[in-house]
Every structure is written in C-alpha cells, then in structure tokens.
Amino acid sequence: MKETIHIYHTNDLHSHFEHWSRIRDLMKERRLLHEGEGDEVFAFDIGDHVDRSHPLTEATLGKGNIKFLNEAGYDGVTIGNNEGITLDHEELNHLYDEAAFPVILGNLFDESMAMPDWASPYQIYRTKGDVKIGVLGLTAPFYPFYQALGWTVTEPIAELRKLLDELRPKVDVLILLSHLGIRDDEWIGEEFPEVDVILGAHTHHILHEGKEVNGTLLGAAGKYGNFVGHMVLEVDSSSKKILTRKAGLYAYEDLPETGVEPDEERRWVLEGQALLEEEIADLKTGLSVDWHAPSPLPLLLSEALMEWTDADCSLVNAGLLMEGLQTGAVTKRDLHHILPHPINPCLITLTGEELKEIISLTLNESWPALEVKGLGFRGKVLGQFVYTNISFTEGDLLVGGERLDPHESYKVALPDMFTFGHFFPSLKTKPKKYFMPEFLRDVLGWKLGKMKN
C-alpha cells in the first residue's frame, strides 16, 4: 500500500494580487479534490508574498496578505526579505497575529537570541497513514538590515545543520522551505541528502519539472504568481519510505478564470488607497519630475536625504520618482504612488578620491535610460542623477562650495540600492549606515511636512 501526498507551493508573489484570485481558487479546489480522493494535501508559501509596492499591503503593513493566505488555506509559510526587512520590528512582530498557519523559520532571533513568539524552527505534520513530515524554514541573511531593525539573523547553513540533527530522526519525510536562492538550494541538495524536498524562492528561478540534486528534489515557481508549484510524493505505508516523487508547475494563464478577477483586483487597490488618504503636506506650487533633465522633485528628495542622514552631500536618481506632485494636499497615498520602492536611506563615508570616482560613474550617458530590475527598485528607468551640495565648475568637483580634497573624508547620502555593488562595485564593501525602517517616501514626506506652513 502507498499514500499519496500533494504539496502546493508559491513564492515571491510580491503582492501581485492581479494573479491572486486564480491562485486562491486553485488551492481551495485542489484541496477538496485530493481530500475527496483520500490523498493528503499541503500548501506552503516560501516568502516575499508581502511587497509594500501595492497600496493594500502598504496600508495594512502586510496584514492584508496574511488574510489572503488564510483564505487560501495555507499550512505553513516562511518569510522572505520583504517580510523581514521592509517592516519595522514591531510591525513584523504583529504581522502574523491573525495567521491561521505556522510561520516556519529557523534563523531569525531577537537581540537576546530568543526566537520570536510568532515563529518556530520547524513543524511536524502527520498524515492519515501516520507518515510524519518535517518542515524547516530558512531565510536569506541580510545581516546589516536585520541588525538595524533589532533582529539577529544567523547563517542559514549552520542553523540547518543543527536543525537536521534534531528533526531528521523524528520524521519520515523532510521538506525545506528555502528563501535562500537557487545556488544555495543546489548546494544544500548536494551536501544534505537527508533533505527530501527543497521548495525554493528569492532568486525567482523557475523549475518546470523540478530538479533532482543528489536525491533531493528541488521545486520553485518563479515570481509574481506567474506559476504555482505542485509536487506529488508517493510513500510506502509500511516502511514510510518515499517511492516516487515528481514536480510540476501550473502557469497562471492556464488556470481557470474565476469571473471576479478584475473586480477583486480593483477593489483591493481602492481599499488600500482609501486607507492611505492621510494628508501630510499642502503644496503652494506643484513639483514636477523629469527623468532625463533637472527637475524640482528629485532635487528636493536629494536635499531631504542629505538632511535626514546629516550628510555632507547626497545623490539620487530621478527615475525613483514615478510622477510629480500637484499643487494642494499631498497624502500618504500620493507618496506611495510616486515612490513605491522599499528602499531605505543610506550613509556612507568616502574619501574625496572615491567620491570623485562615484560621481564620474553617475555621468554615464547610457544610465538614465537604463531599465532597472530588482535592488528594491519598482520604477521603469534609472533616470538622470541629481546632487545636493555637489557641483561642477571649470572641470573641478566641489562639495559644499569647496574644491574636492582627494584625501578628505565625506559623508555621502544615497539610496540603499546603490550599495549592493551593481552600479558602484566599490561601495559594496564600504562601512555604511542604513536608516531603517524609513523608506525614501517617508523622508520625502518629512521634508514636505516641514514645508506645510
């Protein structure tokens, strides 16, 4: 005799709720179907379901996402960096207050190294045939960001070793919910054959039929709800050993239409927007944005960034601002609309010589039209760089009106997306301070509020 176990999994939805209606209905319908056939069904989300670029997620600080997961009947989740580092400490502490499922996470602790009340390092699920399924969860260790928010994130592989020693003897099947990325998942498969299944996330990779690595089956469903993953395990009822395993994906466009998708999507946007209608400023004159020429609002954002971080100078890219602001009332909804990115202010200290190199790179003529994906950026193109307290005259670079000293140290404020090494490789290893939990829109709102009267 054998027992059939169905595992559905999603990852990196990033609050793309335009796909949620079909995913939710698939989860509910498949559970009824499989349970009616006497099979076991489990559903897991592997993190980054939350993304504050959507107005409902922003307005509810992710709790709207948890309501959606409850409605779809998920059996467990782990967190991604969007849950972990785009909410402040208390907001994350209360994100899962109403969750009808466990949060499985083995490498996040508070500053005293106590595990948060809302998380557990693993869960054991028992089927009708008494197969014990152990599920672990790990998330990507964004060390400085978690530390700035009052958390201690630990090295995931070290935690995995400890948790496997504890959990593997207790279970028949072991599943890892991994918000670590495809390279780590492949390495874990090679090094830890005692892990039967890895459900992956973070790098948005797609494994249409899964991938077997040293006997471990990897699965991943891309991003944005474009796919839903489905694994099927057949387990011998007597020995509790896995007999067969297979993986596949359901493409969103192939899922049955629900008939309510456009209405639900519109309602969720409007609900979030309504909750964000809080006035923060009243502009006497509008502030325009041009991605390819100097314009007032990017310059104001750069000035605000310098003041907020107490820097000597600052730089931002105009493409961060999706639109300008009109004369009159400015609300949280407006700021969220024009600055949807989960990007924090950052302060970094550079020598004059290093700063000159960075400024020279920002003058690359191809960069303003560059389409940017990732790094927290939710816009379209990079846009032209603008500066505060940095100027050029007769071939010289000035900071605060004085000629740049190549040996002097300068405190430079910039969006955190530029510290990850993609645009400015030299900044990746420089000591830096991230200002959290504030996003760039919070800093701009603070600046506009000061202009209210």
Side-chain angles (χ1 to χ4, degrees):
M1 294 288 291
K2 63 185 178 182
E3 186 170 28
T4 302
I5 301 168
H6 297 268
I7 303 166
Y8 288 87
H9 56 101
T10 53
N11 61 273
D12 297 286
L13 186 83
H14 286 281
S15 292
H16 276 255
F17 296 146
E18 69 273 17
H19 292 162
W20 185 249
S21 297
R22 295 191 196 184
I23 294 172
R24 175 200 61 209
D25 286 6
L26 175 75
M27 294 293 191
K28 295 167 75 172
E29 291 165 4
R30 288 304 179 94
R31 185 176 294 274
L32 288 173
L33 171 67
H34 298 314
E35 289 179 345
E37 294 173 340
D39 295 341
E40 292 286 345
V41 190
F42 297 94
F44 299 105
D45 185 80
I46 326 300
D48 278 3
H49 193 283
V50 166
D51 193 311
R52 289 177 61 177
S53 60
H54 193 284
L56 182 60
T57 301
E58 172 74 357
T60 64
L61 296 173
K63 291 188 175 184
N65 296 67
I66 306 310
K67 179 181 177 182
F68 289 167
L69 289 164
N70 284 342
E71 291 173 349
Y74 278 73
D75 296 285
V77 307
T78 196
I79 74 167
N81 42 289
N82 272 265
E83 288 89 3
I85 62 175
T86 70
L87 300 169
D88 72 24
H89 192 95
E90 281 307 298
E91 289 162 358
L92 179 55
N93 256 340
H94 292 287
L95 175 61
Y96 298 100
D97 283 353
E98 304 300 322
F101 48 80
V103 181
I104 307 168
L105 181 60
N107 66 319
L108 186 69
F109 306 88
D110 65 21
E111 291 178 311
S112 66
M113 290 305 293
M115 181 157 283
D117 294 339
W118 46 267
S120 57
Y122 60 80
Q123 289 285 313
I124 299 176
Y125 301 84
R126 193 182 296 263
T127 71
K128 292 187 292 291
D130 201 33
V131 174
K132 294 182 285 295
I133 302 173
V135 181
L136 301 167
L138 297 169
T139 198
F142 286 72
Y143 298 108
F145 292 93
Y146 278 107
Q147 182 179 16
L149 291 168
W151 296 108
T152 301
V153 66
T154 55
E155 202 283 315
I157 303 303
E159 297 296 344
L160 178 62
R161 292 183 194 278
K162 292 187 289 186
L163 291 169
L164 285 176
D165 287 343
E166 180 179 350
L167 182 59
R168 182 74 255 195
K170 300 178 182 179
V171 300
D172 306 303
V173 175
L174 199 145
I175 298 171
L176 172 62
L177 311 183
S178 167
H179 199 92
L180 302 178
I182 181 62
R183 296 293 172 252
D184 281 23
D185 291 353
E186 291 173 337
W187 188 86
I188 291 169
E190 287 285 358
E191 297 295 319
F192 299 95
E194 59 267 46
V195 178
D196 297 300
V197 168
I198 299 175
L199 304 179
H202 189 46
T203 44
H204 300 178
H205 50 291
I206 301 170
L207 300 176
H208 287 282
E209 296 180 346
K211 180 177 182 178
E212 189 163 320
V213 178
N214 196 24
T216 298
L217 183 60
L218 278 56
K223 63 180 180 179
Y224 303 163
N226 291 327
F227 298 94
V228 174
H230 181 202
M231 285 193 176
V232 183
L233 308 181
E234 290 186 335
V235 181
D236 183 87
S237 301
S238 300
S239 67
K240 305 297 190 292
K241 302 296 185 184
I242 297 175
L243 300 173
T244 65
R245 64 188 94 189
K246 63 180 179 179
L249 296 177
Y250 296 102
Y252 163 79
E253 59 264 25
D254 295 333
L255 300 180
E257 295 184 14
T258 66
V260 296
E261 292 169 73
D263 292 338
E264 285 193 320
E265 181 188 350
R266 188 179 308 110
R267 173 163 55 84
W268 294 330
V269 169
L270 293 175
E271 181 182 346
Q273 290 176 341
L275 292 170
L276 293 171
E277 290 289 1
E278 177 185 333
E279 183 176 330
I280 58 171
D282 189 2
L283 297 182
K284 306 303 182 187
T285 184
L287 296 166
S288 63
V289 171
D290 189 321
W291 295 339
H292 303 288
S295 55
L297 194 53
L299 288 168
L300 186 69
L301 176 60
S302 180
E303 181 181 328
L305 192 61
M306 186 184 77
E307 293 177 8
W308 182 270
T309 60
D310 192 26
D312 298 316
C313 56
S314 60
L315 58 93
V316 303
N317 56 304
L320 285 164
L321 290 145
M322 305 298 291
E323 293 181 16
L325 293 171
Q326 303 299 314
T327 302
V330 177
T331 66
K332 286 185 175 181
R333 171 187 170 181
D334 296 321
L335 289 184
H336 180 263
H337 177 66
I338 67 170
L339 277 168
H341 331 275
I343 292 177
N344 305 99
C346 182
L347 185 67
I348 192 165
T349 301
L350 302 174
T351 66
E353 185 176 358
E354 291 168 335
L355 177 57
K356 183 177 181 180
E357 177 190 352
I358 297 303
I359 297 301
S360 67
L361 288 172
T362 67
L363 300 175
N364 186 320
E365 293 182 356
S366 67
W367 277 17
L370 189 67
E371 294 184 5
V372 181
K373 304 294 182 184
L375 307 174
F377 188 75
R378 304 290 187 259
K380 296 180 180 178
V381 298
L382 189 66
Q384 184 182 78
F385 277 85
V386 300
Y387 318 93
T388 300
N389 242 19
I390 296 173
S391 57
F392 310 88
T393 179
E394 297 179 355
D396 285 332
L397 183 61
L398 308 180
V399 176
E402 297 184 1
R403 182 177 297 175
L404 184 78
D405 183 338
H407 305 295
E408 185 65 51
S409 292
Y410 297 92
K411 294 186 295 181
V412 184
L414 70 172
D416 70 21
M417 64 181 281
F418 295 122
T419 68
F420 304 142
H422 183 77
F423 291 96
F424 309 113
S426 64
L427 297 187
K428 187 173 183 179
T429 57
K430 294 290 181 183
K432 54 191 74 76
K433 178 182 178 181
Y434 295 105
F435 288 76
M436 301 180 74
E438 297 83 12
F439 290 149
L440 295 180
R441 57 179 171 269
D442 299 311
V443 175
L444 181 59
W446 166 78
K447 179 69 172 178
L448 292 170
K450 291 171 62 178
M451 299 165 54
K452 189 171 184 178
N453 297 318

